[in-house]
Amino acid sequence: MLRTVDLSQAGLDGDAFDYRSAMPRAAFDVDHALAAVRPISEAVASEGQAALLRFAEQFDGVVPERLRVPAEVLERCAAELDPVLRQAFTESIRRRRQVCELAERETDSPAVTLAPGARVGQRIVPVGRVGLYVPGGLAPLASSVIMNVVPAQVAGVGSIAVTSPPQKEFGGLPHPNILALCHMLGVDEVYAVGGAQAIAMFAHGVPGLCDRVDLVTGPGNIYVVAAKRLLRGIVGIDSEAGPTEIAVLADDSANPEHVAADLVSQAEHDPMAASVLVTDSAELAEAVDQALERQVAATRHHERVRTALTGPQSGTILVRDLEQGLQVVDAYAAEHLEIQTRDAAAWAARVRNAGAIFVGSFSPVSLGDYSAGSTHVLPTAGCACHSSGLSVRSFMKAVHVITYDERALMELADSVEAFALAENLPAHANAVTVRRRGQQADQQIGEQA
């Protein structure tokens, strides 16, 4: 089922080999989608709620009775939750909040004294207002409410708004599980708006409905991503997330049923989802392929899964040994990386590039999707080589605080003036010079007195 890319001989001649270019990856043409997103954004900016309602009918097939979901609906959805599901939500919230509070919070740093009277410190300041997008297409990702809201709350964000596409089957409201989680988390500003128009609503604000935000976070389809790219600069964004992806680094000790199940779990998200096995065992690769045939035939979304697994973005990568396998997965920089090998922790400790690393046979990606305590909003398309997943830090910004007294500035005046003049910015130099002249004048007055 999975196509095979044999890299076992790559790099043997001593020359550097570009593993990243050889890896399967889905095509994700955001620039092409921008043409569709631009008029949507412009319509929301100029027409406000009328445009949102029109796009709801056009793209979601339903016109919400009210775009902002009433608080009593949130409360009702929470009250009607299945008790088992409510407990699952509660535990997921607890674990995510605990990791945010104990492992992700940044604190202010004490000021550093660089010279007498010269101090520079740093304050960590939460973003003022954020808009959180929760997908509602092929899978209504209620878990994304937790992954977005909890770290924003722990960061101290003062104003949080959530939006998710309206659903026909729920009378133009977002999925009840999404609304229930918002209520459980104390978020009462929730909108039934989806797609590019939701990002435009957050970025521009809509009079009488929704105030503009400072930052938009959360995953979405290609049009959501394109809207983020278009509006970046008007509003901050977390990332441009592409289709989900999993890579599994495995040796002959791995359980092929486990590996196959994990590959299928990510393929279930989207026909463009990527499932990649990297192994030095041809026997394991064959066993996984056989397991995939059985599991795909038995799963509910088998057509979607099969499309993803047989697409150009998925495949089995054969390597000569795990050392080469480590080079391959580092080059791929997967959103989710599983290590199913002997001494998995040791191999995981050497990985540099991954959104999240799942260590051992009993740490499947789906655990991280829901209740591990980690985030599931992670960098895709190889961006894990330079970017991180959504965390408390994503909702905070560092502000340097510079405090120099007169003496400290005068001791550095020559340097600043020289630097500014060297860059042909005489007004920069003058900002120091006027202070120097003022000091000199004060000294002369003092001497005359």
Side-chain angles (χ1 to χ4, degrees), residues 120 127 169 182 228 253 276 300 400 407 415 426:
V120 175
V127 173
E169 59 187 304
C182 288
K228 283 184 173 182
S253 70
V276 175
R300 177 185 302 175
H400 281 157
R407 176 184 173 187
S415 295

Side-chain angles (χ1 to χ4, degrees), residues 195-208:
Q197 59 271 27
I199 308 304
M201 175 185 72
F202 280 150
H204 296 296
V206 174

